[in-house]
């Protein structure tokens, strides 16, 4: 059967062969781990430890009462050095707990297996997932318990398990599917119970034939493996739902609106760990890769481990480094310093040489070639959005779908004039948020005045 | 130390290989078979026309950008393509000064006055052609016979057909017919067109829209569809002029509308109006409709 797909998107050079045969290897944390209190979408956690405290592996060190937000746990045992701001991979500054790693990896006594799946209610599973600090590990870092907690009145019939891994270079999900198959199926079952989905589809791009074969053999009666065309951004939630179920998530809503919950394969394994071992999310699989890297590979990395440690493990690079990217080359963020930590959303560390990724100067004028329009997986007109945002006509841009953009970067990728399309769109979206904040403040201060 | 600093930039961190320059040069390369056919059928003078036309287009662009204090951007290759296309639209007897003048007009009036690359609403080469046709109607319709062929008198195949005569299709296909320099060989144009289609530099919707509507209308009107496709400037127009990125719609549906529109207009002008040929005018008319087409054929956004 032909592999399924969506309309738009791009075919890329995948470079997956660098690491797709490299098994996951456990690595030690760096001597000091830096654990940011916001590694997810939503409310930042507040620290609940202080300088000088001794913390243990899996111990909660930060929490929040907000529904959209998750707690944060220590990935090592050792002493809290300080709580200070640090540069986060998204380029912003945020609070982080700095812990001196004592190398003992002593477990927190609270880490105990939970009840068996059959005994757990869906509510209990959602609570366990939240308490374990689990977020979408594909890179989006949306709190998983929020996804699983389907609002009253909405019915979810499908759980899609995202093993597309459509970003070039990254192979950690590929390895998880091959090596952590038992936990994967356990986590999938738990997630399906929690959100009430009857049908499960495990979605994998057809460049991972070994995973498709292996997982198809293990699927139960309500479960199916779906082969997807290898095309970026096939792993985008909306593109996945369109390709597999031919449903479209209405603009501005979440997938449960059309009866779907999507979780990443790594997230499913994290859910299994949280139930089977009681272990919160303190480690994740990371591909450290790039053509200039000496020994690229896949690693299970304690969260908070700094990047220089990982660069050491892979034996450095053959050439001077141009960019270090957290995530893949299409949506990842380039970082300033090598002492930044691995966070929950770090699916890969991609090291590009200076020639592989030169800075792009002044772009050429738009030649209206329509490539950006043809390739946009959301069927937007990026050329128009760029023009409207740069002319500050945000209302028009909004009407033309500014907020529907998933920032996949296909438009900038294909543009022969090398225009900064998605970059301008991001500027526009941020400006819209800022504008809304200003308006809210105005309303609030008016309310105070009239009170 | 600057060389140790990491590069910080907003994603995506990789870009596709195609550039404006590489696209323009591909288009120029795709026209080479047709140039070769022109030289084969009409002699070395045809090559002189092509070279003068390109030279004048490039010179006009440089002079304009210098005078206006703009950055020189002739290296993007678009002036070369415009000059080349204008030459393809000239009769093989055209005096060299006319080629030079037409090219300069194409660049200045057809492109630069609107703001340069990407900003012109009309296909610049067609602007040049229409200017020449209006100014020098006699010179623009002085068709030469291909060297060594004397099958047909000096009327173009379309004129012959309009008068009720027939033209052997093989002549139309291989190019042994009187006509514009670049229109003569459908085969040579098709080779270039297919190359561009494969590379994704021209849009299949526009090409299919034009050919499809011409075929359908020919059948309805009781004309020979193959002759209609092969004759006159249709091949050249459909493959190389209507598909000009800058002056065709950006929406997928819009490109269908545009192509079908060109095809309909061509058949209307050929058979309704007093002129045997109407490809240039059809394309220019549809160029004028592009903003409207773009506005009314926006793709439906996912989830809306
Ligand atoms: S406009 Fe947004 S969704 Fe469309 S291609 Fe560009 S980044 Fe992707
Ligand atoms: S891809 Fe670039 S040049 Fe082409 S239409 Fe879009 S913005 Fe313009």
């Amino acid at each position: 059967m032909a592999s399924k797909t969506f309309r738009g998107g791009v075919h890329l050079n995948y470079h997956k062969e660098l690491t797709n045969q490299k098994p996951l290897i456990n690595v030690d944390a760096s001597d000091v781990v830096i654990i940011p209190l916001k590694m997810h979408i939503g409310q930042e956690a507040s620290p609940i430890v202080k300088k000088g405290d001794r913390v243990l592996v899996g111990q909660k060190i930060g929490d929040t009462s907000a529904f959209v937000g998750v707690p944060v746990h220590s990935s090592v045992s050792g002493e809290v050095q300080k709580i200070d701001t640090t540069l986060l991979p998204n380029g912003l500054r945020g609070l982080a707990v700095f812990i001196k790693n004592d190398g003992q990896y002593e477990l927190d006594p609270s880490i105990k297996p939970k009840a068996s799946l059959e005994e757990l209610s869906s509510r209990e599973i959602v609570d366990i997932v939240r308490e374990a600090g689990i977020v979408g590990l594909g890179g989006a870092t949306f709190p998983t318990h929020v996804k699983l907690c389907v609002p009253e009145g909405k019915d979810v019939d499908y759980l899609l398990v995202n093993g597309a891994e459509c970003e070039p270079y990254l192979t950690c999900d590929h390895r998880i599917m091959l090596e952590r198959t038992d936990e994967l199926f356990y986590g999938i079952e738990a997630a399906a119970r929690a959100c009430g989905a009857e049908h499960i589809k495990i979605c994998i791009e057809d460049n991972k034939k070994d995973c498709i074969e292996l997982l198809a053999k293990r699927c139960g009666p309500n479960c199916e493996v779906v082969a997807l065309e290898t095309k970026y951004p096939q792993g985008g939630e909306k593109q996945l739902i369109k390709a597999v179920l031919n449903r479209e998530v209405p603009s501005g809503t979440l997938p449960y609106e059309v009866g779907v919950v999507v979780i990443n394969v790594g997230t499913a394994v994290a859910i299994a760990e949280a139930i089977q071992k009681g272990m919160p999310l303190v480690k994740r699989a990371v591909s450290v890769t790039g053509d200039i890297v000496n020994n690229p590979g896949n690693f299970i990395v304690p969260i908070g481990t700094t990047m220089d440690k990982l660069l050491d493990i892979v034996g450095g690079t053959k050439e001077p480094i141009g960019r270090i990217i957290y995530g893949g080359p299409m949506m990842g963020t380039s970082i300033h310093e090598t002492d930044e930590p691995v966070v929950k959303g770090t699916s890969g560390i991609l090291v590009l040489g200076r020639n592989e990724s030169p800075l792009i100067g002044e772009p050429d004028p738009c030649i209206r070639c329509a490539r950006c329009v043809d390739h946009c997986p959301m069927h937007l007109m990026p050329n128009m959005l760029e023009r409207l945002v740069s002319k500050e006509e945000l209302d028009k841009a909004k009407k033309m779908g500014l907020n529907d953009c998933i920032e996949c970067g296909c438009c900038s990728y294909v543009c022969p004039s090398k225009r900064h399309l998605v970059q301008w769109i991001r500027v526009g979206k941020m400006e819209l948020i800022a504008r809304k904040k200003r308006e809210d403040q105005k309303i609030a201060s008016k309310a105070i005045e009239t009170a | 130390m600057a060389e140790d600093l990491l590069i910080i930039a907003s994603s995506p961190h990789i870009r596709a290989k195609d550039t404006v320059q590489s696209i323009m040069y591909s288009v120029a390369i795709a026209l080479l078979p047709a140039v070769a056919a022109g030289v084969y059928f009409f002699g070395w003078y045809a090559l002189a026309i092509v070279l003068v036309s390109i030279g004048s287009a490039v010179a006009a662009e440089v002079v304009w950008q210098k005078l206006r204090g703009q950055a020189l951007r002739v290296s993007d290759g678009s002036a070369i393509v415009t000059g080349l296309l204008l030459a393809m639209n000239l009769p093989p007897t055209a005096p060299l000064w006319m080629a030079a003048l037409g090219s300069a007009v194409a660049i200045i009036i057809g492109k630069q006055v609107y703001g340069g690359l990407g900003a012109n609403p009309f296909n610049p080469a067609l602007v040049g052609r229409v200017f020449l046709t209006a100014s020098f109607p006699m010179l623009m319709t002085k068709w030469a016979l291909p060297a060594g062929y004397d099958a047909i008198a000096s009327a173009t195949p379309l004129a012959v057909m309009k008068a009720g005569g027939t033209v052997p299709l093989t002549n139309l296909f291989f190019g042994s017919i009187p006509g514009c320099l670049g229109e003569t060989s459908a085969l040579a144009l098709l080779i270039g067109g297919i190359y561009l289609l494969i590379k994704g530099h021209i849009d299949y919707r526009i090409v299919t829209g034009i050919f499809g509507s011409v075929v359908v209308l020919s059948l309805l009107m009781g004309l020979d569809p193959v002759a209609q496709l092969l004759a006159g400037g249709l091949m050249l127009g459909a493959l190389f002029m209507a598909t000009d990125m800058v002056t065709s719609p950006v929406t997928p549906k819009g490109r269908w509308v545009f192509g079908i529109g060109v095809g309909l207009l061509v058949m209307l002008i050929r058979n309704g109006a007093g002129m045997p040929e109407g490809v240039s005018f059809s394309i220019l008319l549809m160029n004028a409709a592009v903003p409207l087409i773009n506005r009314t054929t926006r793709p439906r956004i996912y989830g809306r």
Side-chain angles (χ1 to χ4, degrees):
Chain A
M1 206 181 69
S3 301
K4 297 193 169 189
T5 194
F6 60 100
R7 185 160 65 78
V10 290
H11 294 281
L12 300 166
N13 281 329
Y14 287 91
H15 302 271
K16 302 256 192 197
E17 66 293 339
L18 287 172
T19 50
N20 63 9
Q21 305 295 328
K22 302 275 178 75
L24 293 160
I25 297 172
N26 276 296
V27 298
D28 281 337
S30 43
D31 295 339
V32 174
V33 294
I34 306 171
I35 303 182
L37 288 158
K38 185 175 189 314
M39 297 186 273
H40 50 262
I41 290 174
Q43 182 63 44
E44 178 177 71
S46 312
I48 52 175
V49 289
K50 57 184 191 304
K51 187 176 168 189
D53 284 0
R54 179 170 156 77
V55 294
L56 302 174
V57 175
Q59 181 182 334
K60 202 193 273 185
I61 55 176
D63 206 349
T64 165
S65 57
F67 178 57
V68 183
V70 287
V72 173
H73 306 80
S74 175
S75 58
V76 296
S77 56
E79 186 181 312
V80 176
Q81 265 187 342
K82 60 176 178 178
I83 294 168
D84 200 356
T85 60
T86 184
L87 210 52
L88 301 177
N90 62 7
L92 303 175
R93 290 200 152 265
L95 267 192
V97 180
F98 292 66
I99 303 167
K100 176 101 189 75
N101 176 11
D102 65 10
Q104 304 294 313
Y105 298 97
E106 196 181 321
L107 270 194
D108 190 70
S110 70
I111 310 294
K112 280 200 252 27
K114 309 286 184 208
S116 76
L117 254 193
E118 291 68 40
E119 292 162 348
L120 291 170
S121 70
S122 85
R123 185 71 236 175
E124 284 166 328
I125 296 173
V126 169
D127 285 342
I128 292 171
V129 168
R130 195 208 99 90
E131 278 305 299
I134 297 174
V135 298
L137 295 183
T141 68
F142 190 72
T144 302
H145 71 274
V146 181
K147 274 190 176 181
L148 294 180
C149 194
V150 181
E152 204 81 39
K154 305 273 179 232
D155 250 343
V156 165
D157 55 349
Y158 277 98
L159 173 70
L160 299 190
V161 183
N162 192 347
E165 200 164 50
C166 59
E167 273 267 15
Y169 291 95
L170 306 185
T171 60
C172 57
D173 283 352
H174 185 161
R175 298 309 308 179
I176 284 177
M177 287 187 273
L178 290 182
E179 297 177 40
R180 310 289 304 273
T181 320
D182 291 343
E183 291 99 326
L184 175 63
F185 276 101
Y186 187 94
I188 292 173
E189 206 191 324
R193 274 178 90 91
C195 67
E198 269 171 46
H199 308 283
I200 295 161
K201 288 190 188 272
I202 306 176
C203 316
I204 307 173
E205 279 192 346
D206 56 13
N207 59 356
K208 293 180 268 291
K209 295 261 186 292
D210 46 354
C211 297
I212 296 175
E213 265 171 42
L214 177 74
L215 299 192
K217 274 188 223 139
R218 299 277 309 265
C219 270
N222 59 346
C223 168
E224 190 196 341
V225 172
V226 182
L228 301 164
E229 186 186 330
T230 302
K231 185 170 78 172
Y232 178 84
Q234 186 64 76
E237 216 165 64
K238 293 180 169 169
Q239 283 63 41
L240 197 68
I241 294 170
K242 179 75 186 176
V244 176
L245 300 171
N246 196 25
R247 296 183 190 172
E248 275 188 25
V249 184
S251 173
T253 67
L254 292 171
Y256 54 66
E257 223 31 70
V258 288
V260 186
V261 167
V262 183
I263 63 166
N264 164 270
V265 288
T267 312
V269 170
I271 294 174
E273 295 251 312
I275 299 174
Q276 291 179 307
K277 297 189 193 142
M279 187 56 129
L281 180 60
V282 293
K283 292 178 182 184
R284 69 153 299 148
V286 181
S287 301
V288 184
T289 180
D291 286 293
I292 65 165
V293 171
N294 279 320
N295 303 301
N298 290 301
F299 306 95
I300 306 270
V301 184
I303 298 212
T305 300
T306 52
M307 228 213 3
D308 27 21
K309 166 96 185 178
L310 288 173
L311 283 181
D312 273 354
I313 290 172
V314 295
T317 58
K318 300 171 198 149
E319 283 173 34
I321 299 174
R323 300 188 196 196
I324 298 179
I325 296 157
Y326 269 39
M330 292 300 284
M331 287 187 82
T333 48
S334 55
I335 61 160
H336 298 69
E337 305 283 349
T338 54
D339 59 2
E340 290 184 33
V342 164
V343 294
K344 289 177 180 176
T346 311
S347 46
I349 290 171
L350 170 61
V351 187
L352 292 179
R354 305 214 143 232
N355 301 330
E356 288 177 289
S357 184
L359 261 188
I360 290 169
E362 187 58 25
D364 284 331
C366 168
I367 56 169
R368 295 189 252 170
C369 69
R371 288 179 191 205
C372 55
V373 181
D374 284 343
H375 290 279
C376 175
M378 296 303 289
H379 314 152
L380 304 171
M381 295 179 68
N383 58 329
M384 289 281 288
L385 293 175
E386 182 216 18
R387 185 138 35 102
L388 291 171
V389 171
S390 60
K391 288 198 300 189
E392 297 188 35
E393 298 190 31
L394 288 180
D395 290 315
K396 270 195 204 154
K398 207 171 147 189
K399 272 205 203 92
M400 292 202 55
L402 188 64
N403 280 331
D404 290 287
C405 168
I406 58 168
E407 302 181 29
C408 66
C410 289
C411 48
S412 296
Y413 175 81
V414 295
C415 178
S417 295
K418 314 293 161 199
R419 300 194 67 76
H420 302 304
L421 300 170
V422 64
Q423 292 85 347
W424 271 106
I425 290 170
R426 282 194 198 110
V427 169
K429 284 168 117 179
M430 283 192 285
E431 186 52 37
L432 275 185
I433 295 172
R435 209 162 74 173
K436 175 137 196 324
K437 255 194 198 148
R438 282 198 298 273
E439 273 158 22
D440 287 353
Q441 266 165 6
K442 239 191 245 158
I443 293 169
S445 55
K446 261 217 188 102
I448 293 168
E449 269 169 39
T450 50
Chain B
M1 275 191 309
E3 60 267 27
D4 286 352
L5 286 179
L6 296 177
I7 299 173
I8 304 295
S10 187
S11 64
H13 302 283
I14 48 175
R15 300 285 184 119
K17 282 209 187 67
D18 274 337
T19 59
V20 174
Q21 201 178 32
S22 74
I23 294 176
M24 292 300 167
Y25 287 143
S26 296
V27 175
I29 288 169
L31 281 166
L32 289 184
V35 171
V39 173
Y40 176 77
F41 289 114
F42 301 117
W44 290 108
Y45 186 67
L47 188 64
I49 294 179
V50 170
L51 292 179
V52 166
S53 189
I54 294 176
S56 163
V58 170
E61 180 142 311
V62 171
V63 169
W64 174 276
Q65 284 168 349
K66 277 255 153 92
L67 286 180
R68 311 270 332 225
Q70 296 166 347
L72 277 191
R73 22 175 331 120
V74 267
S75 62
D76 66 28
S78 63
I80 295 177
V81 170
T82 300
L84 198 45
L85 281 174
L86 181 89
M88 306 303 266
N89 276 292
L90 295 177
T93 56
L96 295 181
W97 61 263
M98 199 169 86
L101 178 66
S103 265
V105 167
I107 291 293
I108 306 288
I109 311 283
K111 181 168 100 175
Q112 292 298 355
V113 292
Y114 294 104
L117 181 69
N120 50 298
F122 299 106
N123 186 316
L126 287 180
V127 171
R129 174 180 179 161
V130 166
F131 166 79
L132 292 178
T133 313
S135 314
F136 315 102
M138 295 306 287
L139 288 175
M140 280 300 280
T141 48
K142 219 170 117 196
W143 312 116
L145 276 182
Y149 292 86
D150 54 6
I152 322 150
S154 58
T156 63
L158 273 174
V160 173
M161 286 192 266
K162 204 171 164 76
T166 55
V167 180
L169 288 181
T170 48
N171 286 4
L172 285 174
F173 188 65
F174 291 108
S176 46
I177 49 163
C180 283
L181 201 165
E183 293 172 358
T184 183
S185 168
L187 174 66
L189 290 166
L190 273 174
I191 293 172
I194 289 169
Y195 166 75
L196 289 181
L197 274 172
I198 291 172
K199 290 207 100 180
H201 294 341
I202 61 179
D203 191 82
Y204 72 93
R205 301 176 189 89
I206 296 177
V207 177
T208 321
I210 297 178
F211 288 165
S213 55
V214 166
V215 167
V216 169
L217 276 188
S218 307
L219 292 173
L220 288 179
M221 292 172 166
L223 300 166
D224 178 356
V226 182
Q228 291 294 328
L229 284 183
L230 295 180
L234 191 77
M235 271 298 152
L236 179 66
L239 294 170
F240 291 94
M241 317 285 273
T243 51
D244 171 30
M245 296 168 175
V246 175
T247 55
S248 55
V250 289
T251 64
K253 246 192 241 146
R255 278 170 274 163
W256 280 115
V257 173
F258 181 85
I260 293 169
V262 170
L264 292 180
L265 285 173
V266 167
M267 293 307 283
L268 258 169
I269 296 178
R270 274 185 182 175
N271 299 290
M275 307 187 270
E277 179 58 306
V279 176
S280 305
F281 281 109
S282 309
I283 295 173
L284 287 170
L285 276 173
M286 290 310 289
N287 284 162
V290 164
L292 179 69
I293 297 176
N294 276 337
R295 233 181 343 224
T296 48
T297 56
R298 283 185 192 149
R300 184 182 64 81
I301 297 171
Y302 176 110
R304 286 219 200 161

